[in-house]
Amino acid sequence: MSEYRIHGATGDWEVVIGLEVHAQVTSKAKLFSGAATAFGAEPNTQVSLVDAAMPGMLPVPNRECIRQAVRTGMAIDAAINKWSRFDRKNYFYADLPQGYQISQLYHPLVGEGRIEIALDDKNPDAGTKAIGVERIHVEQDAGKLMHDQHPTRSYVDLNRSGVALMEIVSKPDMRSPAEAGAYVRKLRTILRYVGSCDGNMEEGSMRADVNVSVRKPGDAFGTRTETKNVNSVRFVMQTIEYEAQRQVDVLESGGTIVQETRLFDPDKGVTRSMRSKEDAHDYRYFPDPDLLPLELDDAFLEECRASLPELPDAKRARYEGELGLSPYNAAVLTAEGETARWFEALLDAAGSTVTAKAAANWVISDLFGALNRIGKDIEASPVTPAQGGELLRLIADGTISNTLGKQVFEIMLETGEGAEAIVEARGLKQTSDTGAIEAEIAKVLAANADKVADYRGGKDKLFGFFVGQTMKAMAGKANPGVVNDLLKKALDQ
Amino acid sequence: MGLDADASRTRMAVDTATVKRIAGLARIAITDEEAGRIAPELDNIMGWIEQLGEVDTSAVAPMTAVIPNMLRLRDDVVTDGGVREAVLANAPQAEHGFFAVPKVIE
């Protein structure tokens, strides 16, 4: 990937990007209360008196939320802090009944880690880049405000209030919109593998605060702006493109960048200043007196580590090294945990006669093609890994040809029947019965005596014609290798 | 004030401007007169707190609780919620199951 530059009137500018990703922790109950976290419930029905900040209510942390944040930290090679603490971040807003958010400023649960990103998803040879993660801390989400339901009122739903978030803070290590996009995608993949966040950006399970500054290459960091709550990979990239260009324009026309909070407008693709928040940056953090420090013992950490699945990078390396897949195929099959699980179940079902390469090619071209056509995710695939394995086995042992395999797969998609049953019921079994094939060859040669003469006179290319005619006569069920051999024999005698 | 603090430690005086700013952040309405009265009071208190800094505590771990308790953690089980009436009972205004507040929009 060539270096990303903004071409200004005064020369080229480099963009410096850091991301703070808020990821909703997968848990049944909230971070500090026993209310449910499920998405889409009736307003204010998943709110305890703790979440509504009634006087005298005390927060008690949910062990699972802590565990998931620790597992996430371990998955990015981060230092886990066995001693951490919760702080109050004080500000007033209608979606925050406590008047403060319980967060971790001074002593976060997870320290420095790193995430390896591919510099070009489509080209595995383009290499990777390590993006530093500064920290991960655990904090409460706020409630939800609705402004369009009433002319003069805003409506507040506290169902989300108190749901556990991980704030994953990167270092300012990214230098282009593409790198930032790759970082968010990779982080999402890791979170989904670990199972600590569902990564559903549409439902707000992952949102990013995008820090952008520009500088002349080699200069010190410029002043940054922070664009809040950007909720898709595409919008993160658009935010950076717009914001970097805006900053270059300001600087080149003699202005200065103000460190400020901005909002992204997805309809217009622009960012704009949130002037009202200027005063809100003084959060007057202090340790939450309702909560003792969080101390984790070795047994807890060991369980967290032992429960981690094989992670995307390790899996991709194994697919390349042990299974012999191409870097591209390995990357595609490991990009989503669901895909990798499906593929591995397929390999198990197919058995040793089917090569990993053949299975990978089939998943990526045939299965993905079909799923794409019917608009379904791999989790909702109408064909199961066991059924896929059966089909691949039939192709591998020569029962059906590749071409017939594709037809059988189409029938499987339509009917849900198994490959063997389809082959059996429709008589699609490929034959290596030399007698039957020889009989058809004799008929083909007799019906095309002129072409036989041409072939024998030196027109080698006609061989393909005879293969085609024979296969047609055999209704596609003849083993192509056997047909080739027998035809050669018949024509060359 | 009778404060005998280490001369090398400088403390920002709590003046009326600071009091008004903090009151603003805390959404507490105070008059100029009140701010004028509160500023020296707070300044005094800060002075007393500053006095604690005279004791060298560099080798002492911070005391986080007066009793040697560990933070208790809870299992991930839904045990609460479904009490919308109670949650909304004290709201000055509630409509359609929501709190209704003066419009706040960026």
Side-chain angles (χ1 to χ4, degrees):
Chain A
M1 194 190 294
S2 60
E3 284 174 308
Y4 182 85
R5 292 286 183 265
I6 304 281
H7 306 295
T10 62
D12 281 1
W13 295 79
E14 182 181 49
V15 186
V16 176
I17 304 146
L19 293 175
E20 292 163 27
V21 173
H22 298 261
Q24 182 179 327
V25 178
T26 302
S27 66
K28 296 186 190 76
K30 294 183 179 180
L31 178 55
F32 293 116
S33 86
T37 59
F39 182 77
E42 284 295 301
N44 292 309
T45 56
Q46 296 181 351
V47 181
S48 76
L49 299 181
V50 178
D51 311 316
M54 293 296 170
M57 304 311 293
L58 283 174
V60 181
N62 181 335
R63 181 181 294 102
E64 178 64 9
C65 299
I66 305 300
R67 181 176 169 271
Q68 292 292 18
V70 168
R71 293 174 74 245
T72 303
M74 289 173 167
I76 60 163
D77 281 329
I80 308 300
N81 295 320
K82 290 170 79 174
W83 193 98
S84 67
R85 201 176 62 189
F86 291 100
D87 303 300
R88 290 185 179 180
K89 177 181 181 176
N90 300 280
Y91 66 95
F92 288 94
Y93 208 61
D95 60 8
L96 189 77
Q98 286 169 154
Y100 57 86
Q101 177 194 33
I102 305 179
S103 181
Q104 298 188 298
L105 177 69
Y106 301 107
H107 298 279
L109 181 55
V110 177
E112 286 189 31
R114 64 211 289 273
I115 292 176
E116 209 59 55
I117 61 165
L119 288 176
D120 185 351
D121 278 343
K122 302 206 167 48
N123 172 17
D125 296 330
T128 59
K129 176 176 174 179
I131 306 297
V133 171
E134 181 76 42
R135 57 189 282 159
I136 301 179
H137 62 258
V138 179
E139 63 184 24
Q140 300 173 298
D141 204 350
K144 192 175 145 200
L145 283 167
M146 297 168 81
H147 305 294
D148 52 1
Q149 306 291 308
H150 190 285
T152 61
R153 303 266 120 181
S154 290
Y155 283 169
V156 189
D157 174 10
L158 297 182
N159 280 350
R160 222 173 56 194
S161 167
V163 166
L165 300 178
M166 292 178 278
E167 181 169 332
I168 302 153
V169 183
S170 87
K171 297 194 175 190
D173 285 352
M174 287 157 276
R175 295 289 178 272
S176 70
E179 285 184 17
Y183 172 84
V184 175
R185 281 195 304 271
K186 184 61 177 284
L187 175 58
R188 181 174 178 274
T189 298
I190 293 171
L191 294 174
R192 286 170 56 87
Y193 263 71
V194 169
S196 57
C197 170
D198 66 20
N200 191 330
M201 297 188 90
E202 296 77 44
E203 291 178 5
S205 298
M206 259 179 94
R207 320 189 279 275
D209 296 344
V210 184
N211 289 285
V212 176
S213 64
V214 296
R215 63 174 174 183
K216 288 284 171 67
D219 282 2
F221 287 146
T223 304
R224 66 186 166 84
T225 62
E226 179 180 20
T227 305
K228 289 269 190 197
N229 276 333
V230 184
N231 65 356
S232 81
V233 173
R234 192 163 58 90
F235 292 161
V236 165
M237 294 170 67
Q238 280 182 15
T239 294
I240 296 163
E241 281 162 22
Y242 177 84
E243 189 53 23
Q245 184 66 54
R246 185 192 69 84
Q247 291 184 14
V248 167
D249 291 346
V250 168
L251 291 168
E252 292 197 329
S253 57
T256 50
I257 302 301
V258 190
Q259 184 167 345
E260 61 176 355
T261 305
R262 300 179 69 86
L263 264 187
F264 178 70
D265 179 342
D267 297 328
K268 298 197 181 78
V270 304
T271 67
R272 55 192 164 80
S273 180
M274 290 172 73
R275 285 184 192 84
S276 59
K277 290 250 168 157
E278 264 166 28
D279 197 32
H281 276 298
D282 191 344
Y283 291 125
R284 294 154 296 138
Y285 279 97
F286 63 89
D288 191 318
D290 285 343
L291 290 157
L292 287 162
L294 175 61
E295 293 176 75
L296 303 178
D297 59 29
D298 291 331
F300 182 86
L301 298 183
E302 273 160 34
E303 188 285 322
C304 288
R305 197 173 291 283
S307 70
L308 283 180
E310 184 181 33
L311 293 162
D313 288 346
K315 200 182 273 293
R316 198 180 60 225
R318 181 168 65 83
Y319 281 13
E320 281 184 49
E322 282 178 31
L323 301 182
L325 302 189
S326 69
Y328 176 80
N329 280 5
V332 169
L333 292 174
T334 54
E336 286 288 341
E338 279 304 326
T339 308
R341 264 192 290 281
W342 210 99
F343 174 67
E344 287 174 18
L346 174 73
L347 283 185
D348 284 347
S352 57
T353 56
V354 177
T355 64
K357 248 181 197 165
N361 286 333
W362 180 78
V363 168
I364 291 171
S365 56
D366 296 29
L367 180 67
F368 282 1
L371 292 174
N372 206 14
R373 208 168 58 224
I374 59 178
K376 283 195 169 150
D377 290 339
I378 198 155
E379 290 131 276
S381 167
V383 171
T384 65
Q387 289 174 315
E390 189 182 307
L391 172 66
L392 291 182
R393 217 165 38 234
L394 293 177
I395 298 171
D397 68 16
T399 307
I400 53 174
S401 65
N402 261 317
T403 319
L404 263 182
K406 288 185 198 299
Q407 289 176 32
V408 172
F409 179 50
E410 289 304 321
I411 300 169
M412 289 165 70
L413 283 169
E414 272 169 40
T415 63
E417 288 170 46
E420 265 181 50
I422 292 168
V423 167
E424 206 58 53
R426 308 195 183 209
L428 297 176
K429 207 170 250 178
Q430 170 173 283
T431 179
S432 304
D433 173 353
T434 50
I437 297 172
E438 273 169 343
E440 291 304 328
I441 287 176
K443 280 187 224 162
V444 168
L445 297 194
N448 297 283
D450 51 335
K451 291 207 169 66
V452 173
D454 288 350
Y455 176 84
R456 287 180 177 148
K459 280 188 129 182
D460 288 359
K461 281 184 187 150
L462 280 168
F463 189 73
F465 165 81
F466 294 115
V467 173
Q469 290 298 306
T470 310
M471 290 302 281
K472 199 170 152 196
M474 294 293 298
K477 288 178 287 182
N479 181 321
V482 176
V483 169
N484 272 331
D485 290 349
L486 294 177
L487 255 177
K488 262 215 166 72
K489 229 191 281 169
L491 284 165
D492 293 348
Q493 59 184 217
Chain B
M1 277 199 286
L3 218 161
D4 193 20
D6 182 342
S8 68
R9 304 169 81 94
T10 48
R11 176 172 61 80
M12 201 181 73
V14 179
D15 54 17
T16 42
T18 307
V19 169
K20 283 163 120 174
R21 197 175 111 71
I22 293 169
L25 286 169
R27 299 293 189 275
I28 297 170
I30 57 167
T31 62
D32 287 355
E33 189 195 336
E34 284 170 318
R37 178 165 53 74
I38 290 168
E41 279 178 20
L42 283 179
D43 195 58
N44 241 334
I45 293 168
M46 292 303 285
W48 283 105
I49 292 170
E50 194 64 20
Q51 247 187 321
L52 297 174
E54 291 170 27
V55 184
D56 180 5
T57 57
S58 55
V60 183
M63 186 181 74
T64 49
V66 290
I67 40 169
N69 253 352
M70 290 269 283
L71 178 61
R72 200 168 61 84
L73 299 178
R74 191 167 39 81
D75 287 338
D76 185 30
V77 181
V78 176
T79 55
D80 209 340
V83 290
R84 181 155 80 184
E85 297 313 311
V87 164
L88 296 174
N90 291 328
Q93 197 180 344
E95 290 174 12
H96 313 296
F98 292 96
F99 292 90
V101 302
K103 189 152 277 200
V104 278
I105 191 157
E106 290 297 339

